[in-house]
Amino acid sequence: MFAVALSALLALALPARAADDAIVAPTLRASVTVTADVVRVGDLIDNAGSTAMIPVYRSPDLGTTGALPVAQVLSVLRAKQVIGVMTGEIKEVSVTRLARTFANKDLENAVASALERRFGLGDAANITVTFDRGVSELRLDASNTGALQPVATRYDARSGRFDLTFEINNDNNPAPTKLRFTGTAIETVEVAVLTRDIDRAELLKSSDIVLERRPKADVTGEPALRDRTIGMQLRRPMRAGTPIRVADIVKPDFVQRDQNVTIIYQVPGLYLTTRGKAIESGAEGDTVSVLNVQSKRTLTGIVTGRGQVTVQGASQAAPMPPAVEQTSSLPRDRSAPVALAQSQISPAPAKSE
C-alpha cells in the first residue's frame, strides 16, 4: 500500500538532499475534472503512486460541479491508507464531471435533418419538431465524441409521427451509444398573419401583421410575407389569426366605383384633363372604364394615381382643350386631330355638349 511504502522511505537513513530528490509528497488538487462516474485517488492528488486508481467518491451528475471540504477528503483518503497528503491553503476541492451536452435545438435539428426531403417533407429548416417528452437538453458521458447518426427512421406522413434511433461512437466502448426519440415533425412555412379583424377597404399596416410559422397544409397556395402585405388590401374581409396568401391581397384601389375622378388625355404633344366618374374600381395600373361627364362618353383608361385615370392613344375620342379649372371640351365639329401638336391647336372657349 501507498502508506506503507511512504513510511518505509521516510525511515531510511539518507542524507536530507537525497531524500528530497527521492520522495515527492502527494499534493491535494483544488480543482478536479473527471469523465468517469467515480472519483479516484489519482483525480484528487498529484503523485498518488500505486493508489491512483482506487475509487473514493461517486462523481457529480453529468455536466455539474460539486465541492468537497478538505477535512472530509483527508478522512476518506486515510481510510484508503493514503496519508501524508499536502493540502497547502486549500479549504475545499471542486469536482466537475465533464459531459457532452446537446441542447434541445440540437436534437430538433438532428431529427429534422434525418427527415429532410424524405416522406414528402421539404428542407430541414422548414420542419418543426416536437418531442413526446419535453427535452430541454441531453447530457451524455464525455466519451461519446461521435456524431449523431440516424440508424432507424420511421415516419407517418398522415399524423406527422416519427420514431428515430441515433447512434454515437463512444471512445471507451466498442459499442456505440444508442438514443431513441419519438414525437411529431410537421413541415411549416413562414406566413404573414393578421393581428386583428380587417375589412376589405382597409389598407394593411405594419401593426396589423405578424410573421409566424404555420403548418404547410394549413396554407394552400403561396404564403404572403410580411413586407409584401403592408400597404395592400384584402380581397375579402378576414379575421384575426388568419394566415394571408398572395392570392388574398391586392393593390389598394386608387379609384372607387362611382367616384369623381380626373380624366387625363395624353398623346405626344397633347395633355388635357377633364372631369369624369369611375364606372368600376381599380388599383394603380388597372384598366377601368370612366364616364366623361361633359361629353357623356365612356372611355377606357389606366389608373395612374388616386382619383386619376389616364387615357392614351388615338383610339379614344380626343377630349377638348383645357379652359378654366382644366375641365373643358371642343365642339365636335371643331375637334382637333390627335396627331396635331399642342402648338397647332387653337384654344376654344369651354362649351358643354
Side-chain angles (χ1 to χ4, degrees):
M1 298 296 292
F2 179 78
V4 176
L6 180 60
S7 299
L9 288 171
L10 291 174
L12 292 176
L14 295 174
R17 180 146 186 105
D20 291 339
D21 292 340
I23 300 173
V24 181
T27 305
L28 189 67
R29 295 171 177 163
S31 179
V32 176
T33 57
V34 297
T35 58
D37 56 357
V38 294
V39 180
R40 305 178 187 278
V41 172
D43 297 321
L44 294 172
I45 62 176
D46 292 320
N47 309 314
S50 60
T51 64
M53 299 304 296
I54 298 176
V56 288
Y57 286 104
R58 290 186 60 84
S59 298
D61 292 337
L62 287 166
T64 64
T65 299
L68 297 171
V70 168
Q72 179 183 340
V73 174
L74 294 178
S75 175
V76 172
L77 291 176
R78 279 195 296 270
K80 301 295 182 179
Q81 304 300 311
V82 181
I83 60 175
V85 178
M86 305 295 291
T87 61
E89 300 296 326
I90 300 174
K91 301 299 181 183
E92 65 178 17
V93 177
S94 173
V95 180
T96 300
R97 185 176 179 183
L98 300 179
R100 183 178 181 186
T101 302
F102 292 93
N104 176 269
K105 192 63 178 178
D106 298 329
L107 300 174
E108 290 178 358
N109 291 340
V111 172
S113 295
L115 297 174
E116 183 176 34
R117 301 190 179 281
R118 301 178 63 189
F119 311 105
L121 297 172
D123 294 339
N126 295 327
I127 299 175
T128 298
V129 175
T130 304
F131 295 107
D132 284 340
R133 292 178 293 178
V135 181
S136 58
E137 63 179 17
L138 176 66
R139 293 174 179 174
L140 300 177
D141 192 283
S143 60
N144 292 282
T145 58
L148 281 170
Q149 297 289 345
V151 293
T153 304
R154 288 190 294 174
Y155 182 77
D156 184 340
R158 291 185 178 181
S159 64
R161 297 282 307 166
F162 69 83
D163 186 338
L164 272 76
T165 300
F166 293 90
E167 287 185 350
I168 303 177
N169 288 335
N170 190 309
D171 296 340
N172 297 337
N173 194 328
T177 300
K178 291 184 180 293
L179 300 173
R180 182 185 176 192
F181 300 101
T182 59
T184 57
I186 300 174
E187 185 172 4
T188 61
V189 292
E190 280 192 338
V191 61
V193 177
L194 292 175
T195 60
R196 64 183 182 90
D197 296 349
I198 300 291
D199 188 64
R200 158 77 174 84
E202 293 186 74
L203 294 183
L204 293 170
K205 304 186 296 294
S206 177
S207 59
D208 297 330
I209 304 296
V210 293
L211 194 62
E212 295 182 1
R213 279 206 164 271
R214 292 291 182 90
K216 186 178 180 180
D218 294 348
V219 185
T220 57
E222 182 182 356
L225 297 182
R226 187 173 185 275
D227 293 344
R228 188 171 179 178
T229 61
I230 296 173
M232 304 291 276
Q233 284 181 307
L234 298 174
R235 292 186 182 275
R236 67 184 189 284
M238 296 175 68
R239 300 188 65 82
T242 305
I244 306 173
R245 304 165 304 166
V246 171
D248 294 327
I249 56 177
V250 293
K251 294 180 180 178
D253 287 342
F254 280 3
V255 169
Q256 298 285 344
R257 183 179 179 181
D258 295 330
Q259 175 188 353
N260 291 327
V261 297
T262 298
I263 301 175
I264 300 173
Y265 186 83
Q266 187 174 4
V267 294
L270 182 62
Y271 182 96
L272 302 176
T273 63
T274 189
R275 290 177 294 130
K277 177 174 286 189
I279 297 176
E280 54 191 338
S281 301
E284 184 177 17
D286 288 349
T287 299
V288 297
S289 297
V290 291
L291 176 68
N292 185 324
V293 296
Q294 290 185 332
S295 67
K296 306 304 180 183
R297 300 192 62 168
T298 299
L299 307 173
T300 301
I302 297 174
V303 178
T304 54
R306 294 192 179 278
Q308 178 178 294
V309 177
T310 298
V311 177
Q312 295 180 330
S315 61
Q316 302 287 352
M320 314 305 175
V324 179
E325 296 183 359
Q326 304 222 352
T327 304
S328 62
S329 60
L330 285 174
R332 289 179 181 176
D333 58 349
R334 300 179 60 187
S335 297
V338 173
L340 295 178
Q342 181 69 41
S343 60
Q344 296 175 287
I345 299 177
S346 300
K351 182 178 179 181
S352 300
E353 294 185 357

